[in-house]
Amino acid sequence: MKKLLILFFLICVKSTFAQVIPDSVDLRSNSYSVVFEDNTPAIHKAQIAKKWFSLNFQNYRDILISEDVRAGKIVMKPSILYKAETYSKCYITAVVTFECDKDKYSIKFDDVKKQATFSTIGNLQSADTVYQQCVFTTESEITKYRYYQTLKTKNNPTEDEKKDLRLYAYFDKYNEDSLRKENMAYYTELQNIVAEVINKLKLTLDEQHKQKQ
C-alpha cells in the first residue's frame, strides 16, 4: 500500500510559526484547532483549500474522508513525513478538517500521532514496513516506566514479563524527570509540524483574499 507523504523541513520555527501556535498551545490532548476571519465566499475558500491540499498532500483522493466544497467542508487523513533528529524517518498522522462559512474558516487536527522507523536487533528494517507507534501522553509513558522498574525487581518473571523487559529496556537510560522532559520536546515537535501546515494554507488563502479585493 502506497504511503501518503509530504516532506516538511522545520526551519526558524519560533519566528515563522509563533503567529499561529502560541506558547500556551499544548498538543498533549492530541488535538488542535484554529479559526481565522475571512469574508470571501465559503465556496471560494473551500476551492482554494481543496487545491492546496491536492497539491501538497500526495494521493489526495486516497486520504480523503469526505469532501463537500459547496458546503465548505473537507476532511482527510494524511501521513506527513518530516525530518527529525531522533529517528531516520518520522511520520505524523492526523485527521485534518477544513471548514468554512462566509465570515471565517477553521483548520482542525484530531488524533495527532507520531510514527517512527526504528532498528531491530541485528537488522535495520525497511522504512516502509516497520513503525513504532507513539501516542504522546506523558503519563502513559511514566506508567510504562514504573511497570518496567517493578519487573526488574522480580526474581522469576513469566515469559510475557520477560518479553516486556526486553521491550521496555530503553527505559534504562531514563528517570522520571528526563522522561517528562523528552516527551515535552516531542509535543513541541508535533506542534511545529501542525503549525507549518496551518500557516502555509493560511498564507495561500490570504494571498487569494488580497487578489479578490
Side-chain angles (χ1 to χ4, degrees), residues 14-79:
K14 289 185 179 178
S15 61
T16 306
F17 304 136
Q19 66 196 44
V20 171
I21 305 290
D23 292 339
S24 60
V25 170
D26 192 340
L27 274 181
R28 281 177 288 182
S29 64
N30 295 102
S31 180
Y32 177 69
S33 63
V34 63
V35 179
F36 299 106
E37 294 182 359
D38 186 322
N39 60 11
T40 57
I43 191 170
H44 174 70
K45 290 192 283 282
Q47 287 171 339
I48 294 170
K50 175 183 176 179
K51 183 178 180 180
W52 190 89
F53 286 128
S54 63
L55 289 173
N56 287 276
F57 292 132
Q58 292 184 22
N59 301 315
Y60 172 73
R61 284 293 167 191
D62 292 334
I63 66 174
L64 197 62
I65 296 174
S66 64
E67 175 188 279
D68 190 337
V69 174
R70 190 170 295 278
K73 186 173 183 179
I74 301 169
V75 185
M76 68 199 71
K77 189 173 184 178
S79 294

Side-chain angles (χ1 to χ4, degrees), residues 2 20-21 27 33 40 56 65-66 85 94 130-132 147 150 182 194 205:
K2 293 182 179 179
V20 171
I21 305 290
L27 274 181
S33 63
T40 57
N56 287 276
I65 296 174
S66 64
E85 299 295 332
V130 178
Y131 298 92
Q132 180 181 17
Y147 168 63
T150 300
E182 183 166 303
V194 168
L205 285 158

Side-chain angles (χ1 to χ4, degrees), residues 3-172:
K3 299 299 174 187
L4 315 171
L5 310 175
I6 180 173
L7 179 62
F8 292 117
F9 293 94
L10 305 178
I11 302 172
C12 303
V13 168
K14 289 185 179 178
S15 61
T16 306
F17 304 136
Q19 66 196 44
V20 171
I21 305 290
D23 292 339
S24 60
V25 170
D26 192 340
L27 274 181
R28 281 177 288 182
S29 64
N30 295 102
S31 180
Y32 177 69
S33 63
V34 63
V35 179
F36 299 106
E37 294 182 359
D38 186 322
N39 60 11
T40 57
I43 191 170
H44 174 70
K45 290 192 283 282
Q47 287 171 339
I48 294 170
K50 175 183 176 179
K51 183 178 180 180
W52 190 89
F53 286 128
S54 63
L55 289 173
N56 287 276
F57 292 132
Q58 292 184 22
N59 301 315
Y60 172 73
R61 284 293 167 191
D62 292 334
I63 66 174
L64 197 62
I65 296 174
S66 64
E67 175 188 279
D68 190 337
V69 174
R70 190 170 295 278
K73 186 173 183 179
I74 301 169
V75 185
M76 68 199 71
K77 189 173 184 178
S79 294
I80 304 168
L81 172 65
Y82 72 99
K83 187 177 180 180
E85 299 295 332
T86 51
Y87 298 89
S88 56
K89 286 186 179 180
C90 290
Y91 303 80
I92 293 298
T93 62
V95 176
V96 181
T97 302
F98 175 87
E99 194 165 11
C100 62
D101 60 27
K102 63 180 181 179
D103 297 317
K104 61 183 181 296
Y105 64 90
S106 64
I107 308 165
K108 185 175 184 181
F109 281 69
D110 284 312
D111 196 24
V112 183
K113 296 178 182 178
K114 175 178 169 182
Q115 295 177 319
T117 63
F118 70 104
S119 300
T120 56
I121 297 174
N123 181 30
L124 182 62
Q125 296 290 335
S126 166
D128 292 328
T129 57
V130 178
Y131 298 92
Q132 180 181 17
Q133 181 70 38
C134 303
V135 180
F136 289 89
T137 305
T138 301
E139 291 311 313
S140 69
E141 292 300 301
I142 295 296
T143 299
K144 292 175 188 175
Y145 171 83
R146 291 173 179 171
Y147 168 63
Y148 176 66
Q149 298 305 317
T150 300
L151 286 181
K152 287 167 61 177
T153 65
K154 287 201 169 186
N155 294 323
N156 297 299
T158 66
E159 288 303 313
D160 284 342
E161 288 172 338
K162 288 178 181 178
K163 291 180 182 178
D164 287 340
L165 280 165
R166 294 192 293 270
L167 177 65
Y168 296 126
Y170 65 91
F171 281 127
D172 282 333

